[in-house]
Amino acid sequence: MEFSMIIRGGITCGEFFANDKILFGTGLIKAYDMENSIAQYPRVVIDNEFFKDELQELEFKNFIKKDNDEQYYVNYFYDENALKLIKGKCEKLIDKHGKYDLRIKDPKRIYQQEKTINKHVWLLVKFNEYCEEIGCENLKMNYILKINSRLFKMEVSCYKNENVK
C-alpha cells in the first residue's frame, strides 16, 4: 500500500443524488461543510450529532478517536502495521512542506503555507501520540521545530536518529 497524500474529509448521513453530470444533496453539502470548517487537519471527521449513539462503541473499538477539540475522527493510526506504513511517507511530506518557500512574498501564499505547516505538525504530533499509546516508541518521528527568521513563524523538519532502531 502506498500513501502519497494526506487527506481530510467529513462523514455524515443525508440525501444524496449523483449522475454523470451533477452531484447534490443535503448529505454531500454537510460532509463538504464538515471537511471545510471542522476537519482543518489531515483527518476525516465524523458527524458527532448524527452518529452520537455509535461514537462511544466505535471509540472503544479504536476505529475512531476524539481530538482535542472534542471532534471525532477516523483513526488511521490504529496499530503498529499502520504506523509503519505511514511513517516514511509522513516524514517525506513533513520535510517537503514543513518549511516556508523563501521565494514567496505574497502574504496570502505565506498564510496558506502556514496552514499547511500546521497540518503537518498536527500529523506529526498525532503520529507520535499513537506510537506512545500502543507501545511503539521506536517508530516515533524525530523532529525539530524552529522559527523562520524572515517571517517569525514556526517551521518543522524530521531527522533520523541513528541511535534509535
Side-chain angles (χ1 to χ4, degrees):
M1 183 180 290
E2 177 70 23
F3 293 87
S4 58
M5 71 174 78
I6 51 179
I7 61 168
R8 69 178 199 203
I11 298 175
T12 190
C13 196
E15 292 181 355
F16 175 75
F17 175 81
N19 65 25
D20 59 339
K21 295 183 182 181
I22 192 165
L23 303 167
F24 69 90
T26 57
L28 178 67
I29 292 168
K30 176 115 188 223
Y32 171 80
D33 286 343
M34 291 170 59
E35 183 271 335
N36 194 39
S37 62
I38 299 171
Q40 297 177 8
Y41 306 109
R43 61 184 183 169
V44 178
V45 295
I46 299 167
D47 185 342
N48 289 355
E49 291 190 28
F50 187 84
F51 294 107
K52 63 185 169 197
D53 296 333
E54 294 88 357
L55 290 174
Q56 288 189 355
E57 181 181 345
L58 291 170
E59 185 177 24
F60 176 75
K61 292 180 178 179
N62 210 26
F63 295 132
I64 64 170
K65 287 288 188 180
K66 187 188 282 190
D67 212 341
N68 300 337
D69 62 358
E70 301 297 311
Q71 183 61 50
Y72 285 95
Y73 65 96
V74 175
N75 178 16
Y76 44 82
F77 303 111
Y78 52 86
D79 69 11
E80 183 176 359
N81 291 327
L83 292 171
K84 285 178 181 177
L85 284 171
I86 295 169
K87 182 179 179 175
K89 188 55 82 170
C90 286
E91 288 173 331
K92 288 178 186 173
L93 287 169
I94 290 165
D95 284 339
K96 182 176 181 180
H97 300 289
K99 296 181 178 100
Y100 291 91
D101 184 336
L102 297 175
R103 298 168 291 176
I104 295 178
K105 308 282 189 246
D106 179 19
K108 290 179 187 175
R109 299 261 327 266
I110 292 170
Y111 174 71
Q112 190 61 43
Q113 277 192 304
E114 181 177 26
K115 287 173 54 178
T116 300
I117 290 169
N118 288 338
K119 292 171 188 177
H120 287 83
V121 169
W122 180 92
L123 178 67
L124 176 65
V125 168
K126 287 298 175 191
F127 184 93
N128 285 349
E129 282 178 7
Y130 285 108
C131 286
E132 289 178 12
E133 184 178 307
I134 65 175
C136 296
E137 284 86 358
N138 61 318
L139 290 176
K140 288 174 71 172
M141 289 186 269
N142 299 305
Y143 63 95
I144 298 171
L145 295 176
K146 65 179 188 173
I147 301 297
N148 177 295
S149 59
R150 177 175 68 102
L151 302 170
F152 296 104
K153 294 183 179 288
M154 178 185 62
E155 294 181 327
V156 63
S157 60
C158 292
Y159 67 91
K160 303 278 188 229
N161 185 345
E162 303 306 325
N163 298 327
V164 177
K165 294 183 181 180

